[in-house]
Amino acid sequence: MADQSIFGGRELDAFLQQLPVKVEKNILRAALRAGANEFKEEAKQRVPVDEGDLRASIRVTTRTKRGTVYASLKVGGKRAPHANLVEFGTTAHKIVAKKQGALSFNGIAVREVDHPGAKAQPFMRPAADSRPPQAVAAVAAKIRERLTKENINTRAPEDA
């Protein structure tokens, strides 16, 4: 992942500390969600399968813990439990049926199958590596937008 420099971070933090806690958290939550959405769209474009469940399972979540706001890009869950298998691949392994003859291939019931494994097809990590400048710009734009909504004037960022 490329190194990204953020200028004015200390000044921004000092300024945000002057705002009411609820306003600060809401602004940061919206800003981090905007930045994470940059990665989300890229990840959706990079999903290597045609089926929609894996693509549709990519989502952004935010939370606050001990006063710190976090945004996460998540994939999988009940909708696509195979997400990690696509991203990281699998080694050769044996699949054993839980019930006698519960696996069926071409109409033939079998107890176990030797799976050859699957090649990794990363889409999340390449998405995260590809858009840091756009994510930082989205965070900055959302912070400016939300501060303006709170009737706080902000100047446009300077080119560094």
Side-chain angles (χ1 to χ4, degrees):
M1 192 159 134
D3 289 337
Q4 295 298 313
S5 298
I6 300 173
F7 297 94
R10 286 190 194 127
E11 293 85 357
L12 175 61
D13 184 54
F15 177 76
L16 289 172
Q17 295 299 324
Q18 297 172 7
L19 295 174
V21 173
K22 184 176 180 180
V23 172
E24 176 189 353
K25 286 181 185 173
N26 287 341
I27 289 171
L28 289 176
R29 184 182 306 268
L32 291 177
R33 181 176 293 280
N37 277 328
E38 289 291 323
F39 299 117
K40 174 185 165 185
E41 295 309 315
E42 185 69 23
K44 284 187 171 198
Q45 292 176 8
R46 291 175 179 261
V47 171
V49 294
D50 295 331
E51 297 172 13
D53 286 344
L54 183 57
R55 186 173 284 115
S57 76
I58 300 172
R59 65 208 178 278
V60 173
T61 62
T62 59
R63 67 183 177 101
T64 303
K65 185 175 181 180
R66 294 188 191 121
T68 301
V69 180
Y70 298 91
S72 301
L73 183 61
K74 296 182 178 185
V75 63
K78 289 181 182 179
R79 189 169 199 167
H82 61 290
N84 63 320
L85 305 177
V86 175
E87 179 80 9
F88 301 111
T90 64
T91 60
H93 59 282
K94 188 176 295 271
I95 301 174
V96 179
K98 292 182 182 177
K99 298 178 185 176
Q100 182 64 31
L103 298 175
S104 176
F105 293 94
N106 295 327
I108 301 170
V110 295
R111 175 87 177 117
E112 61 184 40
V113 174
D114 288 324
H115 189 287
K119 182 180 171 192
Q121 299 177 47
F123 59 98
M124 292 293 282
R125 181 57 190 234
D129 288 344
S130 70
R131 300 189 60 86
Q134 293 88 341
V136 170
V139 168
K142 184 55 81 170
I143 289 174
R144 278 195 313 280
E145 174 189 320
R146 293 296 299 268
L147 289 175
T148 301
K149 185 177 178 182
E150 296 292 327
N151 293 322
I152 300 169
N153 292 327
T154 59
R155 61 187 173 96
E158 299 171 6
D159 291 331

